[in-house]
Amino acid sequence: MDGILAVWKPEGWTSHDVVAKVRRVLKMKRIGHTGTLDPMVTGVLPLCLGRATRVVEYVQERPKSYEAVLQLGIATDTEDITGTVIARQSPISVTEEDVRLALSQFLGEIDQVPPMFSAVKVDGKRLYELAREGKTVERKSRKVTIHQIDLIDTQLDLDQPQISFSVVCSKGTYIRTLCVDIGKALGVPATMAHLTRTMSGGITKESCLTLEQIEQLQQSGELSGHIISADEAITHLDRVTIPESFGKLALQGQKVSLSHSVEHEALTLDGQLIRLYNDQSSFLGIFQIDLNTNVFKPIKVFSA
């Protein structure tokens, strides 16, 4: 079984737990996920099965979207509601206008410092391992991009007001940290109270199955009808078509001249990765444009 299985991750499960469960259900080892979700987080978790594991790195590069609930008035060591409270403030007085202004400050490319409770490595050790030892180390800020951020709802009359918002962001963005930083922009401590991932790899909730559904469909022999082809998860790469005769050469891992493609006049970006197909619409693999030698170079070939 090759392709993408879109799972709706339940609360309380790690991403590794989900992979382990699906491995047992499908009785296959070659499964990889496309981006870790914390146990408290629910939502879209695409799993790459079989040969589709070869596209994991390209799926991970695509933007992801989330819906988050930010709680004002407390801060925790993990930057989410599961952590130990390290600061409190009451009463909190902010307006919806204040919130909208604060959110707007995070649109575009921003600097973000990874939280201590994260898998980022410093001197060969993961930050969460250091955090569990009670250590705090200096972390370098990283550039991430917030493509879109919108206010969904506010409950500002609570003792600890809550703000619900949606965000579309680049790989490597920590929504927990974004919540904390929004709180700082409002001048109050904040933590993430809830998070749902609503899109990953272009896959949304509508395409997802629960673990229970996956088990039932596998038992009834109907799961294969819910598998998404690997190339559907990398549609951010341009599609290029070549004749079937040259497609056979591509499947053998050979270079193919750009002149054989229907789109060759538009291929002007050296080093660009593309999805290569034959004229029967069969996916051949991920290839790279080399303008110096005027060829498509094979990067990941998907032979029949």
Side-chain angles (χ1 to χ4, degrees), residues 14-24 31-33 45 47:
T14 67
S15 298
H16 178 75
D17 291 338
V18 172
V19 171
K21 172 70 173 180
V22 175
R23 280 178 177 154
R24 290 193 297 272
I31 300 178
H33 65 73
L45 182 65
L47 301 187

Side-chain angles (χ1 to χ4, degrees), residues 68-131:
V69 177
L70 178 164
Q71 187 164 319
L72 299 177
I74 64 170
T76 68
D77 58 351
T78 59
E79 301 186 347
D80 63 40
I81 203 68
T82 67
T84 301
V85 176
I86 56 175
R88 291 183 185 273
Q89 183 177 324
S90 181
I92 302 294
S93 178
V94 295
T95 66
E96 184 175 317
E97 184 179 356
D98 294 332
V99 173
R100 291 186 182 276
L101 179 60
L103 293 180
S104 69
Q105 295 175 31
F106 293 90
L107 189 61
E109 187 177 73
I110 63 172
D111 289 309
Q112 198 176 66
V113 177
M116 277 302 302
F117 281 89
S118 66
V120 174
K121 284 188 175 181
V122 173
D123 296 329
K125 202 161 187 179
R126 297 198 183 277
L127 287 175
Y128 66 76
E129 294 174 336
L130 296 170

Side-chain angles (χ1 to χ4, degrees), residues 235-254:
T235 53
H236 60 301
L237 303 180
D238 287 341
R239 177 180 176 135
V240 175
T241 302
I242 59 175
E244 187 175 7
S245 56
F246 294 104
K248 293 177 181 177
L249 297 177
L251 287 176
Q252 294 169 4
Q254 297 187 35

Side-chain angles (χ1 to χ4, degrees), residues 21-199:
K21 172 70 173 180
V22 175
R23 280 178 177 154
R24 290 193 297 272
V25 171
L26 302 189
K27 296 181 173 58
M28 65 184 298
K29 291 184 178 180
R30 198 177 176 190
I31 300 178
H33 65 73
T34 58
T36 302
L37 289 177
D38 291 337
M40 71 168 285
V41 182
T42 61
V44 180
L45 182 65
L47 301 187
C48 294
L49 313 179
R51 290 183 304 164
T53 54
R54 306 178 72 207
V55 303
V56 165
E57 61 191 286
Y58 306 103
V59 178
Q60 288 177 333
E61 292 297 325
R62 300 186 67 177
K64 297 176 175 63
S65 66
Y66 299 87
E67 290 184 359
V69 177
L70 178 164
Q71 187 164 319
L72 299 177
I74 64 170
T76 68
D77 58 351
T78 59
E79 301 186 347
D80 63 40
I81 203 68
T82 67
T84 301
V85 176
I86 56 175
R88 291 183 185 273
Q89 183 177 324
S90 181
I92 302 294
S93 178
V94 295
T95 66
E96 184 175 317
E97 184 179 356
D98 294 332
V99 173
R100 291 186 182 276
L101 179 60
L103 293 180
S104 69
Q105 295 175 31
F106 293 90
L107 189 61
E109 187 177 73
I110 63 172
D111 289 309
Q112 198 176 66
V113 177
M116 277 302 302
F117 281 89
S118 66
V120 174
K121 284 188 175 181
V122 173
D123 296 329
K125 202 161 187 179
R126 297 198 183 277
L127 287 175
Y128 66 76
E129 294 174 336
L130 296 170
R132 287 169 182 167
E133 295 172 6
K135 299 177 181 177
T136 301
V137 297
E138 184 177 350
R139 290 97 70 199
K140 293 182 179 179
S141 66
R142 305 189 301 180
K143 298 286 186 183
V144 297
T145 302
I146 306 299
H147 301 287
Q148 185 176 337
I149 186 166
D150 295 298
L151 182 64
I152 296 175
D153 189 26
T154 60
Q155 297 184 58
L156 303 180
D157 55 342
L158 300 176
D159 290 340
Q160 295 178 331
Q162 291 191 337
I163 298 164
S164 301
F165 66 95
S166 63
V167 61
V168 181
C169 57
S170 66
K171 171 188 175 183
T173 304
Y174 284 94
I175 307 301
R176 286 179 286 149
T177 302
L178 179 61
C179 287
V180 171
D181 290 342
I182 291 170
K184 289 177 181 176
L186 291 167
V188 296
T191 195
M192 186 181 78
H194 188 265
L195 183 65
T196 298
R197 184 154 71 188
T198 54
M199 186 269 290

Side-chain angles (χ1 to χ4, degrees), residues 283-302:
F283 177 53
L284 306 176
I286 299 172
F287 283 67
Q288 186 175 42
I289 297 172
D290 186 340
L291 294 180
N292 293 323
T293 55
N294 204 42
V295 298
F296 297 111
K297 296 194 303 185
I299 304 298
K300 304 272 186 172
V301 177
F302 280 73

